[in-house]
Amino acid sequence: MKRKELIETYLKFFKSKKHKEVANVSLVPENDPSVLFTTAGMHPLVPFLLGQKHPQGKRLVGVQRCIRTGDIEEVGDTSHHTFFEMLGNWSLGDYFKKEAIEMSFEFLTKVLKMPVERLAFSVFEGDGEVDKDTDSADIWASLGVSNERIVYLEENWWGPAGKTGPCGPDTEMFYWKPNKGKLPGKFNPKDSNWLEIWNDVFMEYNKDTKGNYNLAKQENVDTGMGVERTLAVLNGLEDNYLGEVWQPIIQKIEMISKHKYGEDEIVTRAMRIVADHIKAAVFIINDGIVPGNSEQGYVLRRLIRRAVRYGRVLGIESFTTSIADVVYELYGDYKLDARKITLELANEEERFLKTLAQGLRIFDKVAGSKKMSGTEAFLLYQSYGFPIEMTLELAKEKGIKVDEKEYSDALNKHSELSRTAAAGKFKSGLADDSEATTRLHTATHLLLAAMNKVLPKLEGMKEIQQRGSNINAERARFDFSYDRKLTDDEVKELEDLVNGWIWDGAEVKRDEMSLDEAKKFGAAGIFEDKYKVAEKISVYSIGDGKISKEICTGPHVKSLKELQGCTFKIKKQDSVGAGARRVKVVLE
Ligand code: SER
């Protein structure tokens, strides 16, 4: 089976079960605070999992591009990928365990025709706080699954993606990969020949800021099926990289490097890493990120630089853009912005190539002593552009120990970027939907509106647009299209205007409308991507639309009166690549 066919089959099956298709949104969450990347199809649905009415109804289905960065250094085996596509179906307070499991089973065994003998299932063991999920186990058994193939595990719990939010027990579906040998009777989840392909999460809890698990307003289902993995098993491949969504990339690497995939472990692993990282980098750049030293930009930098380093293992240089060419073609349906991506990749590769060889020499110098000081690791980062993760990985390969504590101290002394803070973020999910975060979220709408009123439009610019935002309880970071630093006067004017609006205390209203209606209404927002499939979208208006009108999933305060007592301040300005600026704002 091919990628497109699997995706279409999945969507069709769930549409036949009354699900509506949601859009495949950006990898950079638009209005979702502290996630760096969309890591699952549920991210854009959080407000709806928490009870807000979804304009498309209670049963949704979709395919979502995802990035998981928790284990970049682990990529290189047969089944882990940084970029992947996830199929999912959701029930927002509609069906629950029985229907979800029955539909999963029907899709696997009847539609995809997977032999039940090759399937196994895990369910939640219970943990003192939440009971053992005997319901799910009974449902699998009622469908004809033998008890040997159902195990209870404590780790069968998903979420919340961030500190707070929807979560619950899950049931995972596994497929026995090996084509040869006898099928095992009993399911042993520790045996990696059992590949997890799908996960049904029963999101009936909402974790609050105090760490309590409260029963959510509604019982939701959130499922996620990995496209690459499922394709691999459907096509009888024990190595995902032998599949259709990887082979053209691997072949290109073979061609440029004159090595053969499978030739030996070192070459094979290097090829997988190069293929994985360039594919991920292509999609991240396409969604508006450029290489940098913090957050998404830093992840992107790490991916490109790690690919470049593994390119050296294969004896190739200046190769990233020709591999990207294959990705553009392979994923033609995404209409990737080849020009922009090629430019960023080429620049970043060139930048790193200038210092890579010199940096590697530092490793040769310390090789004898088996120890690298934190100062040296910091020098590698600062002067030779080695992300610390790369230094640690290289050191491990060479049996060298790095003084990480000294490195962090040096880094903290020299820059604002703290590796621990950044590393924490990579795995983190949505920020809390606390009142403070919600207030700041509304403040960013005010800020965008104020910018369009106060700032002069630069040459060729029709309006100032939001490029991204990241909000937690303390501050909001807001990226927007603009080409220069704001002057002190402009900053003051923006602050005064926003504070004036807060003082007036207008109402904030949410309306549902079609995309066309929203356009006519003059709502700001990303029209072409996020909302292309949605039939109805939410538009938030402040002050009857006189202050601001913006497409957004929320959440927001009901009235600007909730911001009174706070002063809106712009704290910091930065550039985030060509044509984009970032401000940090607070409500003091
Ligand atoms: N959120 C769940 C997962 O990521 C199901 O999609 O596995």
Side-chain angles (χ1 to χ4, degrees):
M1 186 179 271
K2 298 226 173 199
R3 163 179 172 262
K4 277 202 181 138
E5 191 188 343
L6 174 62
I7 294 174
E8 272 160 26
T9 308
Y10 189 96
L11 297 177
K12 195 167 143 218
F13 175 78
F14 283 98
K15 281 180 189 170
S16 80
K17 310 263 182 204
K18 303 201 162 38
H19 290 65
K20 289 274 164 46
E21 186 182 345
V22 290
N24 183 345
V25 302
S26 171
L27 286 170
V28 185
E30 263 305 311
N31 286 300
D32 273 335
S34 75
V35 244
L36 284 185
F37 292 106
T38 301
T39 66
M42 51 74 71
H43 284 290
L45 298 175
V46 169
F48 310 103
L49 292 163
L50 291 174
Q52 188 175 311
K53 198 169 149 273
H54 193 284
Q56 287 175 277
K58 293 181 172 176
R59 291 179 176 218
L60 305 173
V61 63
V63 59
Q64 175 60 49
R65 54 187 183 275
C66 300
I67 288 280
R68 288 201 181 171
T69 57
D71 41 28
I72 288 180
E73 276 71 30
E74 303 301 319
V75 169
D77 67 1
T78 57
S79 62
H80 281 90
H81 310 301
T82 311
F83 169 88
F84 62 99
E85 291 181 295
M86 192 190 253
L87 290 158
N89 56 286
W90 295 274
S91 155
L92 303 171
D94 191 48
Y95 58 82
F96 203 45
K97 294 181 183 175
K98 184 168 179 312
E99 293 89 329
I101 291 178
E102 282 174 357
M103 284 191 276
S104 292
F105 193 73
E106 185 184 340
F107 187 71
L108 291 177
T109 60
K110 298 266 163 34
V111 182
L112 298 182
K113 302 200 170 31
M114 289 183 179
V116 69
E117 305 77 57
R118 289 182 86 144
L119 297 174
F121 307 87
S122 61
V123 293
F124 185 54
E125 158 87 311
D127 63 359
E129 240 178 299
V130 176
D131 291 344
K132 186 169 177 158
D133 186 9
T134 50
D135 293 347
S136 293
D138 290 347
I139 301 166
W140 289 119
S142 78
L143 295 168
V145 177
S146 79
N147 283 332
E148 283 195 303
R149 291 291 181 78
I150 304 170
V151 299
Y152 285 98
L153 298 175
E154 204 174 320
E155 68 240 34
N156 273 50
W157 180 273
W158 201 90
K163 282 200 195 109
T164 60
C167 53
D170 67 15
T171 177
E172 299 181 3
M173 293 154 251
F174 295 80
Y175 188 94
W176 180 254
K177 271 201 298 184
N179 296 313
K180 290 198 212 92
K182 223 168 99 356
L183 277 171
K186 211 171 160 38
F187 170 37
N188 171 11
K190 291 214 174 76
D191 182 342
S192 61
N193 283 318
W194 285 107
L195 184 70
E196 187 208 334
I197 51 172
W198 201 356
N199 184 12
D200 287 357
V201 188
F202 304 115
M203 290 194 159
E204 53 184 323
Y205 293 90
N206 183 15
K207 190 174 176 190
D208 65 22
T209 40
K210 293 193 192 84
N212 300 321
Y213 291 91
N214 308 308
L215 268 181
K217 284 197 199 116
Q218 61 192 31
E219 289 178 335
N220 306 292
V221 176
D222 155 47
T223 94
M225 170 186 263
V227 170
E228 290 76 1
R229 290 175 171 204
T230 307
L231 275 180
V233 299
L234 283 172
N235 293 318
L237 306 173
E238 290 175 33
D239 172 357
N240 289 8
Y241 289 87
L242 295 176
E244 166 219 353
V245 288
W246 293 105
Q247 266 306 294
I249 310 178
I250 297 285
Q251 281 159 12
K252 184 78 176 199
I253 304 172
E254 287 183 321
M255 210 178 86
I256 0 189
S257 70
K258 312 235 167 10
H259 279 285
K260 273 257 151 270
Y261 186 76
E263 168 186 311
D264 65 41
E265 220 2 81
I266 292 176
V267 164
T268 307
R269 184 164 172 269
M271 284 193 183
R272 287 176 186 152
I273 292 170
V274 169
D276 174 275
H277 289 9
I278 298 299
K279 190 197 273 195
V282 162
F283 276 92
I284 294 174
I285 300 171
N286 190 59
D287 279 341
I289 302 298
V290 293
N293 280 337
S294 62
E295 315 230 314
Q296 290 104 335
Y298 181 65
V299 173
L300 175 61
R301 171 156 283 169
R302 265 172 73 195
L303 288 167
I304 302 173
R305 295 191 173 195
R306 190 161 181 261
V308 171
R309 178 167 92 72
Y310 275 93
R312 261 180 91 91
V313 173
L314 297 167
I316 53 176
E317 221 172 64
S318 303
F319 60 89
T320 57
T321 60
S322 52
I323 292 170
D325 286 342
V326 187
V327 182
Y328 308 146
E329 206 171 307
L330 196 54
Y331 290 91
D333 47 336
Y334 277 98
K335 300 197 174 33
L336 297 161
D337 187 345
R339 206 187 52 84
K340 172 175 84 177
I341 301 167
T342 298
L343 188 76
E344 291 297 344
L345 280 176
N347 282 344
E348 181 65 9
E349 181 168 11
E350 198 185 317
R351 256 192 303 254
F352 189 45
L353 279 177
K354 280 200 190 119
T355 55
L356 174 62
Q358 278 168 289
L360 287 174
R361 254 177 258 133
I362 297 204
F363 277 93
D364 297 337
K365 266 204 249 147
V366 296
S369 71
K370 298 274 166 211
K371 268 209 304 255
M372 178 180 276
S373 71
T375 322
E376 277 162 327
F378 182 68
L379 179 75
L380 274 170
Y381 168 72
Q382 181 83 339
S383 306
Y384 300 103
F386 278 46
I388 180 64
E389 293 80 1
M390 181 183 288
T391 299
L392 294 176
E393 191 185 14
L394 267 160
K396 201 168 150 205
E397 278 170 24
K398 295 177 193 291
I400 298 169
K401 261 192 123 52
V402 179
D403 188 336
E404 287 188 60
K405 164 90 180 57
E406 193 184 278
Y407 169 81
S408 307
D409 291 347
L411 181 67
N412 285 332
K413 238 193 268 160
H414 285 83
S415 100
E416 218 191 61
L417 172 85
S418 137
R419 174 174 125 70
T420 33
K425 271 290 191 51
F426 299 157
K427 288 191 191 148
S428 83
L430 302 165
D432 52 304
D433 56 322
S434 68
E435 285 168 26
T437 310
T438 309
R439 279 200 294 269
L440 270 164
H441 189 182
T442 306
T444 63
H445 281 220
L446 295 175
L447 175 62
L448 180 65
M451 283 176 164
N452 273 302
K453 292 203 165 56
V454 166
L455 302 179
K457 305 285 181 298
L458 305 177
E459 212 182 291
M461 173 185 273
K462 275 212 229 74
E463 57 170 357
I464 296 162
Q465 288 173 335
Q466 176 175 341
R467 285 284 172 82
S469 76
N470 175 297
I471 308 172
N472 63 28
E474 279 83 45
R475 55 99 189 115
R477 243 189 17 222
F478 184 81
D479 296 351
F480 59 103
S481 56
Y482 214 61
D483 237 351
R484 64 160 171 80
K485 194 169 181 214
L486 309 181
T487 64
D488 290 349
D489 284 348
E490 284 166 346
V491 166
K492 175 97 184 33
E493 225 182 309
L494 288 170
E495 288 174 346
D496 288 350
L497 185 55
V498 171
N499 285 318
W501 283 331
I502 294 174
W503 178 257
D504 291 339
E507 298 294 303
V508 180
K509 216 171 113 239
R510 186 173 79 89
D511 288 301
E512 281 176 11
M513 53 184 88
S514 72
L515 184 56
D516 274 347
E517 285 163 347
K519 277 187 192 170
K520 279 195 206 109
F521 185 60
I526 312 292
F527 287 114
E528 309 314 330
D529 180 5
K530 183 166 181 175
Y531 301 99
K532 81 180 156 212
V533 179
E535 286 158 8
K536 289 267 184 220
I537 51 179
S538 309
V539 173
Y540 281 87
S541 314
I542 308 180
D544 285 329
K546 287 195 199 78
I547 298 178
S548 147
K549 293 182 269 196
E550 214 179 300
I551 299 179
C552 179
T553 48
H556 284 281
V557 299
K558 298 221 156 33
S559 154
L560 295 187
K561 290 201 177 85
E562 293 172 46
L563 273 60
Q564 288 174 352
C566 298
T567 309
F568 174 84
K569 282 222 170 101
I570 297 176
K571 284 282 186 193
K572 198 167 174 278
Q573 298 192 47
D574 282 304
S575 156
V576 273
R581 305 283 309 173
R582 168 172 296 175
V583 285
K584 242 179 220 176
V585 301
V586 295
L587 284 167
E588 281 181 352

